[in-house]
Amino acid sequence: MQVVVCKDAEEGAGIVTEEILGALESKPDLVLGLATGSTPIGVYQQLSLAHCEGGVDFSAVRTFNLDEYCDLAADHPQSYRSFMRKHLFKDINIPEENIHFPPSEGPGLREKCLRHEDEIRQAGGINIQLLGIGSNGHIGFNEPTSSLASRTRIKTLTEKTLRDNSRFYEDPSEQPQVASTLGIATILDARRILLQAYGEKKAEAVKASVEGPISSYWPGSALQMHADVTFILDEASAARLEMIEYFRKSRADRVRLQEENTI
Ligand code: PGA
């Protein structure tokens, strides 16, 4: 596990964007795992800019989003399909058929979710998975106590998640309670994982995920089992890490060794 402590979210988004664009150069049909929420918006802005101003081609890219609400119409402004269209897809040249979301409408949702796992496999697996983290440690909508072996399925959202997201709903009765999400094992299958977390509200979840014991109670801690994951943080979200000085030193060493072409 690597931990990078940035000056701010913009610097973090720059690091993530640079890695995606580098990967895209060597693999134009990159398979990206995408997240929603406020955290990845900076990356989506920078990717949109790379297309509009830099001519970066997304025509062969395939995407798999992490989650989608079950009780919202696909064209509802708060659906994650709408979110992705607004913040990224409308601004890049990705074909509609290359965009995937976990199934969120019945009937037969359970079977559809299992078939979704096959679709990811058939695409060759996810090359780079972007993640945010909930203040309760969820990744995707894998809420605390989600099985660490879980696959794409339906989850009921916790009170904490509902509270965190209630700002998006004027009418509380409109807020969806259930979502489909890639599972924790699905996420861990990705070859590379980049988790961004910014702000003091995420400090407890970051501490538990990076330095705590592996536990389904803090789903982010499952990432300790992944061989190639980087947490991209700001000072506020990193504030509770006991090993923060080690992480800074490790990052400086890595940058130096890369510049010397040693690694
Ligand atoms: P946020 O949500 O990016 O809006 O903070 C992250 C999450 O809940 O996974």
Side-chain angles (χ1 to χ4, degrees):
M1 171 177 288
Q2 292 172 49
V3 175
V4 179
V5 184
C6 304
K7 184 167 86 279
D8 54 26
E10 195 183 342
E11 187 186 14
I15 291 171
V16 173
T17 307
E18 201 179 311
E19 179 159 341
I20 293 172
L21 294 178
L24 198 49
E25 241 175 66
S26 45
K27 185 173 167 46
D29 62 345
L30 199 65
V31 180
L32 285 173
L34 299 179
T36 49
S38 46
T39 307
I41 289 177
V43 172
Y44 298 152
Q45 285 169 344
Q46 294 189 24
L47 288 177
S48 300
L49 214 61
H51 172 68
C52 297
E53 291 181 6
V56 172
D57 181 18
F58 290 83
S59 63
V61 167
R62 279 85 44 85
T63 63
F64 286 87
N65 261 84
L66 271 173
D67 40 23
E68 179 58 291
Y69 291 118
C70 285
D71 22 19
L72 273 192
D75 59 355
H76 188 284
Q78 294 306 330
S79 79
Y80 285 163
R81 283 178 173 80
S82 299
F83 175 98
M84 289 306 304
R85 198 170 315 116
K86 175 174 171 196
H87 291 286
L88 181 65
F89 295 151
K90 74 170 174 26
D91 297 321
I92 60 173
N93 63 332
I94 184 167
E96 194 65 35
E97 63 270 22
N98 289 11
I99 294 170
H100 303 87
F101 282 80
S104 55
E105 286 171 9
L109 209 41
R110 193 189 290 259
E111 288 71 27
K112 284 184 188 171
C113 284
L114 288 175
R115 281 205 298 278
H116 189 67
E117 293 276 330
D118 289 337
E119 283 183 50
I120 297 175
R121 272 191 290 275
Q122 278 158 17
I126 292 171
N127 296 112
I128 300 180
Q129 175 69 58
L130 300 190
L131 292 179
I133 191 164
S135 61
N136 64 358
H138 72 206
I139 49 176
F141 271 137
N142 294 287
E143 297 285 32
T145 72
S146 286
S147 163
L148 301 185
S150 53
R151 293 282 165 186
T152 305
R153 72 211 181 292
I154 306 307
K155 286 297 288 183
T156 294
L157 306 180
T158 60
E159 274 307 310
K160 192 157 198 202
T161 296
L162 292 171
R163 256 199 323 275
D164 285 349
N165 292 337
S166 60
R167 64 188 187 279
F168 298 117
Y169 301 89
E170 269 174 35
D171 175 1
S173 73
E174 271 207 353
Q175 186 170 7
Q177 309 284 312
V178 176
S180 62
T181 180
L182 302 197
I184 293 181
T186 322
I187 291 170
L188 291 176
D189 280 347
R191 293 184 187 85
R192 174 86 170 115
I193 298 179
L194 298 168
L195 183 147
Q196 296 179 89
Y198 306 119
E200 194 262 330
K201 228 177 97 185
K202 303 294 173 74
E204 187 187 11
V206 165
K207 160 82 183 156
S209 299
V210 175
E211 295 178 343
I214 296 176
S215 160
S216 65
Y217 196 66
W218 288 102
S221 66
L223 299 172
Q224 293 173 30
M225 295 189 295
H226 194 275
D228 198 6
V229 58
T230 300
F231 277 64
I232 294 124
L233 309 174
D234 62 1
E235 294 287 343
S237 65
R240 292 184 59 177
L241 292 176
E242 278 167 41
M243 292 186 67
I244 189 165
E245 289 313 320
Y246 170 78
F247 293 131
R248 288 192 217 279
K249 182 171 181 301
S250 161
R251 169 75 176 164
D253 283 342
R254 184 166 278 268
V255 168
R256 177 176 53 79
L257 292 169
Q258 267 162 1
E259 278 167 9
E260 291 168 0
N261 229 359
T262 308
I263 55 173

